[in-house]
Amino acid sequence: MAGEATARLRSSRGNDAGQAAIGARRATEAASPREPAARCIAERTPRPPVALYVHVPFCVSICPYCDFVVHAGRAARGPGARIEPFLAALHAELDLRADALAAPPARSPLRSVYLGGGTPSLLAPRDVAAILDHVDRRFGIAAGAEVTLEANPGPDERGDLAGFAAGGVTRISLGAQTMDAAELRRLGRRHSPQDVLVAIGVARRGGLASVSVDLLYDVPGQTRASWRGTLRAILDAGVDHVSAYALTLDDPDAEGITGPAGDHLPTRPGARAWRDRARAEQDDDRAADLYADADGLLAEAGLRWYELSNWARPGHESRHNLAYWRHEPYQAAGPGAHAFDGVATRRWNAARLDRYVAALTATPPALPPGGVERLDHETLEAEEAILGLRLREGIEAAVAARPAVAEALRWGSAHGLVEDAGDGRVALTLRGRLLSNELFERMLP
Amino acid sequence: MIPQDHLRNFCIIAHVDHGKSTLADRFLELTHTIDARQMTSQVLDSMDLEREHGITIKARAVRLHYTADDGETYALNLIDTPGHVDFTYEVSRSLQACEGAILVIDAAQGIEAQTLANVYLALEHDLVVIPVINKIDLPSAQPEVVIEELENVLAIPHEEVLLASAKEGTGVPEVLEAVVQRIPAPKGDPDAPVRGLIFDSHYDAYKGVVAYVRLAEGTLHAHDSVRLMASGAESELLELGVFRPQLVPVETLSAGEVGYVATGLKSVRDCQVGDTLTSAEHPAPQPLPGYKSAQPLVFAGIYPINGPDYPLLRDALEKLHLNDASITFEPESSVALGFGFRCGFLGLLHMEIVQERLEREFDLELIASAPSVEYLVTLTNGRGQVRVDNPAELPSPGDVEEIAEPWVRVKIVTPNTYIGTLMELTKLRRGTFESMEYLDQQRVLMQFELPLAEVIVDFYDQLKSRTQGYASMDYEEIGYRPERLVKLEILVNGEPVDALSMIVHREDAQAQGRQLAERLKKLIPRQMFEVPIQAAIGSTVVARETIGAMRKNVLAKCYGGDITRKRKLLEKQREGKQRMKRVGQVEIPQEAFLAILRTDEQP
């Protein structure tokens, strides 16, 4: 699977623009072999990151359901935009993060770079290219690496998709959400279903080798018919990858993650009111039906589920997201971004853009405020099983045999949530995917 | 030592919120008992709970030194009393230690149900009543209307009524002066053998049981040996003193005085409220007339949410009982809730307060089963009667000849616009209307008879919501009456949940069963399988609801690389489940056990 992806992505680098931008990159084998999951966690040693997440915290407008770190309106466009200072700070952070690592020849370069947001497509192509060049200089980007950029489909949001491809982006992730005009309005989106089709076409013509769309289900007012319509429209447009997320109306304030050092921004009163109303219109039964519909229709069209919320044509699985699920080390930059050292430490930047910029543009630049957590052995073992089970490949026998995991799996098996996936591996059934939290909570220490 | 004719013992009686504690605060200031720096609002309400609820739970005593207009200094013993119907018993105990009572009435609210109850109590004890209309500073104050009410309803002559604003201090010196002038000094021979009535007590880790005593006769000295006449316990006094309001030791206390004795006794049972304290060397021949002991009216199971906390709960109840002898408790176990205690309370507010105190002062997490009254069950074939305070323990229908339940007379004072809705409410609660009289042009006093069981569940809240908070109520027991009562059982997934059983009138059983099943359906989260909820009388199912199987519980949101948040959400979900109680295969949240406390009656 990973091999296929590598081959396909590498061949897609044939276009001139991409070649020019990455010309300086060393042709290293992209996918280093995965560390065997069952290897005792205690014996792990810190490894250099295989992936890098860059958070670009700007949108034209903010959707009421979104709790990512985002600034909109005047912060994102026009003379008062805060994009320039952010970019300066980001470059400084990339340097500081890279300073802690050995230089590229002494270690494997990144297999994935992911520009998420926010709406990274609001950046100018030269800014994206500059970020990627900087990343390549300091971290190294492997030949054939997956370089994803998130874009919104609207004409005023999607930016210059061909320009991004020329700057080194290989994969686009479009925030389509739904192909139903009324649902889009209800979600506070700026684009129309037609914009999504246009954006997909532009991305293809611009040379982006892999096109993904994000969809939302369990949206207020959504029906099975409208959802199936959305899926068909997306499939007819020809995409390689679909992420279908349940509309999840969290309350980050209640979770205690929006304080001054928190990795989320406080929820705006308008968004809170919207969520309260929308929550009342959500329905788990409908959500389960919609999920099953998606799984069926996507599979028929050749997009196989490979993670709870993700389906892809073979070879188009997001290697970036797989790194998360496989407990691989990833670095992160930008406000609210999260990193993992591949052993036991998770770290994140605080959400506040002003403090982020202030720290990194000081002389000398300092790392921005943030948080860190060191996981104990039991938590790591549980996490590894929980993350692994999100994937179609499931977990291997040695992980499944850990006592806390094994006990939960016995319960899950009795309720039809898990099944044998061959070679002693255990994976979720369709019912298990929908009820996975019930299983996962039993694995936590 | 203060001569007996310079002593005055009095209490303040009032409806909740009419300003009793504020008036007491002014007394403390005016008599320099507490200097301004130490003055916190409502000094005598020392429990956090009391300040938060704005109520007095425990009676407090304080001695004030007051120099009257005649130039003489008097010792005034003020006993602050609770103002809620649940604590009428405490009030009546306090009254027995006094010769007079200040009756505080809110100038805007007028006479309330509790005002009447308290005045009747005071008159029963032959106390001199000093009526004080408080809060005359309020824009909505109508002292003339209240004066008229007092005259019409309680036959209090208008010239006896004092006007005050405890908040602003106006009229307060006149009240103190009236205490000296109108309330008689205590009587009692200081040279007779010692007889002192214990009207309250608290437990102190160092001093043992500290008894609050009103000396009727004789003189106590600091190191006397004393005997409790009912329990027979004897002890050498550790300390003798008065309330200022903190405990201040004195050398002697003599007839007519109010103070405390630190007995060193380790068990409250040895030194019960209502007992008579006498001298061990020269005991009095006869004890003073005591009190009826407080009878709990409301019963509920109290269980720790975490089973292993059971011994902590037992210790906590024992400690609480030292300061609040009106709580009763005995071990019980429930299939649904595990091991806990069946507790008896004076009323619903008392129950709520005890539960809150247990949670706060002892850091326990508790769940209480639905409150119940005590039923009198006559068994078949002349096998006598049993008392049942837990619906789960009701004998099977074949063994029951008859079930009788306690009834109460409820007095409600309300603006006349709410007469209709209150007639409707009491009818829904199986009540009968007894009488109605006008207090003034707008307000009426209504009397009903109702089963106590119907009053303890949600009645007060309904009363308040139907009358926009204007009505007040009070109740007294009027004995047992046989009724057509049955046990309504709730089965979740086929298993009876004992903590959800209740005893209801046969005619209401189906409707109540349906209501409860519907409510439980909303409160019990979906499980991995379908769960039927049934309400049954014996083997007859009278209502049924079904909770469908859970179909979706998945973190299907893009959290990016933020695995920490995903894990925390899972942890939170699990914590929520750990707080649930397991019946068979079903996890039931605590709110479900409280479902029984609410009704769907809309005003």
Side-chain angles (χ1 to χ4, degrees):
Chain A
M1 186 174 82
E4 260 180 49
T6 308
R8 178 154 165 61
L9 286 170
R10 194 183 288 145
S11 69
S12 77
R13 289 261 182 194
N15 79 68
D16 295 341
Q19 206 67 43
I22 59 168
R25 281 173 209 152
R26 289 169 354 104
T28 322
E29 180 55 45
S32 62
R34 261 176 61 215
E35 182 163 348
R39 185 175 144 192
C40 181
I41 287 171
E43 289 169 16
R44 284 187 190 167
T45 50
R47 290 171 292 154
V50 302
L52 168 71
Y53 177 79
V54 175
H55 189 76
V56 182
F58 301 102
C59 280
V60 176
S61 60
I62 295 179
C63 304
Y65 56 87
C66 172
D67 55 25
F68 282 108
V69 178
V70 168
H71 299 270
R74 276 179 304 172
R77 285 199 293 200
R82 295 159 76 185
I83 293 182
E84 287 307 321
F86 159 73
L87 288 172
L90 177 66
H91 282 284
E93 185 183 11
L94 289 171
D95 278 327
L96 291 176
R97 300 286 175 209
D99 287 346
L101 301 169
R107 59 169 169 80
S108 303
L110 300 171
R111 305 196 316 251
S112 165
V113 179
Y114 195 106
L115 279 77
T119 311
S121 56
L122 294 181
L123 297 181
R126 64 172 184 281
D127 292 331
V128 171
I131 293 169
L132 294 176
D133 281 341
H134 191 177
V135 170
D136 188 38
R137 269 196 320 278
R138 297 303 316 270
F139 293 82
I141 300 179
E146 176 185 282
V147 179
T148 306
L149 179 125
E150 287 185 340
N152 274 339
D156 61 344
E157 308 171 285
R158 66 178 171 248
D160 177 358
L161 295 175
F164 300 136
V169 172
T170 66
R171 181 174 181 270
I172 199 88
S173 171
L174 277 173
Q177 315 314 358
T178 153
M179 295 299 275
D180 181 287
E183 289 167 17
L184 283 172
R185 274 197 302 277
R186 220 166 290 137
L187 288 169
R189 303 293 296 188
R190 305 173 64 80
H191 66 269
S192 67
Q194 185 58 31
D195 291 335
V196 177
L197 303 179
V198 171
I200 292 172
V202 172
R204 288 282 184 222
R205 284 193 300 280
L208 286 156
S210 199
V211 175
S212 174
V213 297
D214 282 358
L215 298 178
L216 281 174
Y217 62 94
D218 203 13
V219 168
Q222 201 170 32
T223 61
R224 282 181 82 164
S226 76
W227 175 237
R228 295 174 77 94
T230 287
L231 291 161
R232 284 202 195 92
I234 286 297
L235 290 168
D236 288 348
V239 296
D240 308 296
H241 183 284
V242 169
S243 298
Y245 297 115
L247 177 66
T248 305
L249 303 164
D250 286 326
D251 184 352
D253 301 306
E255 290 172 45
I257 52 179
T258 59
D263 53 355
H264 285 70
L265 296 171
T267 308
R268 295 159 183 79
R272 177 173 297 281
W274 188 93
R275 288 178 206 182
D276 289 342
R277 278 197 309 277
R279 210 176 279 121
E281 288 183 59
Q282 290 195 293
D283 175 24
D284 282 351
D285 286 340
R286 173 182 67 182
D289 288 338
L290 300 182
Y291 183 90
D293 284 348
D295 196 53
L297 283 176
L298 292 169
E300 268 172 41
L303 276 72
R304 221 171 51 145
W305 88 274
Y306 70 98
E307 193 273 337
L308 284 181
S309 305
N310 290 286
W311 290 258
R313 291 187 203 290
H316 286 270
E317 296 83 359
S318 161
R319 266 184 279 151
H320 189 84
N321 284 330
L322 284 173
Y324 295 159
W325 312 129
R326 287 174 175 163
H327 242 195
E328 295 190 276
Y330 49 93
Q331 190 48 274
H338 280 245
F340 178 53
D341 74 348
V343 185
T345 305
R346 298 196 177 279
R347 159 198 87 65
W348 54 89
N349 289 340
R352 295 271 302 262
L353 179 59
D354 49 355
R355 296 188 187 186
Y356 176 84
V357 169
L360 285 158
T361 53
T363 330
L367 285 172
V372 62
E373 87 168 338
R374 274 197 69 82
L375 303 169
D376 58 35
H377 186 71
E378 288 74 26
T379 306
L380 273 168
E381 286 202 341
E383 228 184 38
E384 190 175 32
I386 290 169
L387 297 176
L389 278 166
R390 293 183 69 94
L391 298 174
R392 177 190 197 92
E393 66 199 31
I395 50 176
E396 56 187 64
V399 175
R402 292 171 185 160
V405 176
E407 197 188 323
L409 290 175
R410 271 194 295 279
W411 176 88
S413 171
H415 286 98
L417 305 187
V418 293
E419 63 189 1
D420 186 351
D423 292 341
R425 299 186 75 90
V426 178
L428 295 177
T429 59
L430 177 60
R431 175 171 152 84
R433 283 147 68 187
L434 280 164
L435 292 170
S436 49
N437 280 355
E438 294 291 316
L439 177 68
F440 294 163
E441 68 159 57
R442 286 160 196 270
M443 296 182 175
L444 289 172
Chain B
M1 203 175 102
I2 296 182
Q4 200 178 55
D5 62 0
H6 279 54
L7 289 175
R8 298 290 184 273
N9 296 319
F10 72 105
C11 57
I12 310 180
I13 53 181
H15 187 78
V16 181
D17 271 349
H18 281 198
K20 175 170 49 70
S21 299
T22 311
L23 185 62
D25 286 352
R26 290 297 91 75
F27 288 170
L28 295 177
E29 281 173 4
L30 267 179
T31 57
H32 311 290
T33 309
I34 286 188
D35 71 45
R37 277 182 303 113
Q38 293 172 319
M39 194 71 204
T40 55
S41 178
Q42 313 202 336
V43 175
L44 295 185
D45 290 344
S46 57
M47 268 189 267
D48 285 348
L49 270 175
E50 292 184 318
R51 292 214 178 99
E52 277 167 33
H53 286 245
I55 52 167
T56 306
I57 298 166
K58 290 283 286 178
R60 305 277 146 179
V62 61
R63 173 182 281 201
L64 317 167
H65 292 280
Y66 172 66
T67 306
D69 290 352
D70 61 11
E72 301 282 312
T73 297
Y74 293 81
L76 313 183
N77 286 306
L78 160 62
I79 298 169
D80 192 17
T81 62
H84 188 276
V85 53
D86 280 8
F87 305 105
T88 302
Y89 172 72
E90 296 248 349
V91 179
S92 95
R93 279 186 348 216
S94 307
L95 294 178
Q96 221 163 311
C98 302
E99 280 76 36
I102 296 175
L103 170 68
V104 179
I105 305 138
D106 184 308
Q109 311 283 331
I111 290 179
E112 299 281 10
Q114 194 70 42
T115 317
L116 294 172
N118 284 331
V119 171
Y120 294 140
L121 271 179
L123 295 177
E124 260 174 52
H125 287 85
D126 274 336
L127 300 196
V128 169
V129 173
I130 301 174
V132 176
I133 296 180
N134 188 29
K135 305 196 192 179
I136 53 166
D137 57 303
L138 290 182
S140 53
Q142 289 185 294
E144 31 341 298
V145 175
V146 181
I147 288 172
E148 190 193 316
E149 282 187 0
L150 286 171
E151 199 147 22
N152 290 347
V153 183
L154 293 166
I156 292 175
H158 60 87
E159 53 282 358
E160 284 185 16
V161 179
L162 300 176
L163 300 181
S165 162
K167 194 171 130 222
E168 296 183 344
T170 39
V172 178
E174 288 77 4
V175 177
L176 280 175
E177 198 59 31
V179 168
V180 171
Q181 300 305 329
R182 297 192 202 171
I183 296 176
K187 298 186 183 71
D189 180 359
D191 300 320
V194 171
R195 291 205 294 174
L197 182 66
I198 298 176
F199 64 91
D200 206 346
S201 67
H202 77 259
Y203 185 80
D204 181 286
Y206 302 103
K207 296 175 185 166
V209 177
V210 177
Y212 299 10
V213 182
R214 153 72 196 252
L215 270 190
E217 287 165 338
T219 301
L220 262 180
H221 300 273
H223 298 289
D224 282 355
S225 289
V226 294
R227 174 186 301 167
L228 281 308
M229 296 184 76
S231 73
E234 290 194 6
S235 91
E236 209 161 298
L237 288 190
L238 298 180
E239 198 176 296
L240 188 66
V242 294
F243 307 98
R244 297 279 298 146
Q246 71 281 19
L247 308 186
V248 174
V250 296
E251 280 305 306
T252 60
L253 275 182
S254 71
E257 286 194 279
V258 171
Y260 70 90
V261 293
T263 60
L265 292 169
K266 290 298 169 203
S267 164
V268 167
R269 269 172 284 280
D270 289 335
C271 184
Q272 300 233 11
V273 169
D275 204 341
T276 300
L277 183 97
T278 190
S279 152
E281 284 103 50
H282 308 287
Q286 291 291 324
L288 296 164
Y291 307 111
K292 286 186 297 186
S293 59
Q295 291 304 321
L297 289 179
V298 175
F299 299 82
I302 290 198
Y303 293 83
I305 283 168
N306 307 309
D309 285 348
Y310 175 77
L312 297 178
L313 174 58
R314 188 189 48 223
D315 292 350
L317 279 167
E318 275 168 7
K319 285 199 184 112
L320 212 56
H321 186 253
L322 292 176
N323 286 332
D324 184 354
S326 56
I327 310 170
T328 62
F329 59 100
E330 55 188 63
E332 78 169 4
S333 67
S334 149
V335 177
L337 302 177
F339 289 99
F341 291 91
R342 194 75 192 167
C343 300
F345 308 96
L346 299 173
L348 261 199
L349 178 70
H350 188 217
M351 168 173 163
E352 214 173 281
I353 282 166
V354 168
Q355 195 179 343
E356 264 190 74
R357 287 189 68 185
L358 288 169
E359 290 183 336
R360 274 194 214 190
E361 295 170 27
F362 301 92
D363 200 21
L364 289 164
E365 286 189 288
L366 301 173
I367 181 165
S369 71
S372 168
V373 298
E374 190 171 59
Y375 295 92
L376 202 52
V377 181
T378 307
L379 301 173
T380 48
N381 302 325
R383 282 176 296 153
Q385 289 187 321
V386 288
R387 288 181 173 270
V388 174
D389 60 30
N390 181 353
E393 285 168 8
L394 192 71
S396 62
D399 291 328
V400 175
E401 180 76 44
E402 185 185 84
I403 304 176
E405 63 179 331
W407 277 61
V408 289
R409 176 170 299 117
V410 178
K411 289 193 175 81
I412 298 174
V413 172
T414 178
N416 55 8
T417 42
Y418 301 114
I419 292 171
T421 182
L422 292 178
M423 297 289 271
E424 185 188 65
L425 172 65
T426 48
K427 197 158 177 234
L428 278 170
R429 300 301 181 97
R430 298 193 278 133
T432 53
F433 170 74
E434 290 294 305
S435 68
M436 182 166 79
E437 71 182 281
Y438 272 82
L439 300 180
D440 57 43
Q441 304 224 313
Q442 271 85 45
R443 295 184 344 128
V444 294
L445 165 65
M446 302 174 81
Q447 297 204 53
F448 299 91
E449 291 182 356
L450 284 149
L452 176 60
E454 301 281 354
V455 176
I456 62 173
V457 177
D458 193 33
F459 184 83
Y460 187 71
D461 291 342
Q462 282 285 329
L463 177 85
K464 286 291 179 192
S465 83
R466 283 170 182 256
T467 63
Q468 273 82 48
Y470 280 114
S472 63
M473 68 171 268
D474 184 65
Y475 61 84
E476 58 185 321
E477 295 162 87
I478 52 172
Y480 277 75
R481 294 182 190 174
E483 292 287 339
R484 284 186 64 210
L485 300 173
V486 291
K487 175 158 75 166
L488 184 68
E489 271 190 307
I490 296 292
L491 293 87
V492 174
N493 204 28
E495 306 226 19
V497 183
D498 51 6
L500 287 174
S501 299
M502 48 183 185
I503 293 175
V504 298
H505 196 267
R506 181 65 188 87
E507 273 168 28
D508 301 336
Q510 181 155 13
Q512 293 209 27
R514 199 177 302 130
Q515 242 183 47
L516 190 53
E518 278 168 18
R519 229 173 297 140
L520 288 171
K521 181 183 176 176
K522 288 185 200 130
L523 290 168
I524 299 177
R526 292 180 173 205
Q527 314 280 319
M528 299 298 286
F529 41 86
E530 195 176 274
V531 175
I533 298 172
Q534 295 157 298
I537 301 168
S539 54
T540 312
V541 172
V542 296
R544 183 190 160 108
E545 293 283 340
T546 305
I547 303 173
M550 186 196 303
R551 292 189 54 205
K552 171 194 165 261
N553 179 10
V554 54
L555 282 176
K557 171 171 168 150
C558 183
Y559 290 93
D562 186 356
I563 308 299
T564 304
R565 187 174 180 201
K566 276 185 196 289
R567 197 188 65 244
K568 294 249 159 80
L569 288 169
L570 280 175
E571 283 168 356
K572 209 167 132 204
Q573 167 182 310
R574 189 179 52 173
E575 272 165 36
K577 283 209 186 132
Q578 280 166 348
R579 290 178 62 88
M580 294 193 196
K581 292 288 181 180
R582 217 176 160 76
V583 176
Q585 291 296 305
V586 182
E587 277 152 345
I588 302 183
Q590 295 163 56
E591 301 84 71
F593 294 98
L594 303 176
I596 211 166
L597 292 176
R598 283 184 292 273
T599 59
D600 295 339
E601 292 160 14
Q602 289 306 313

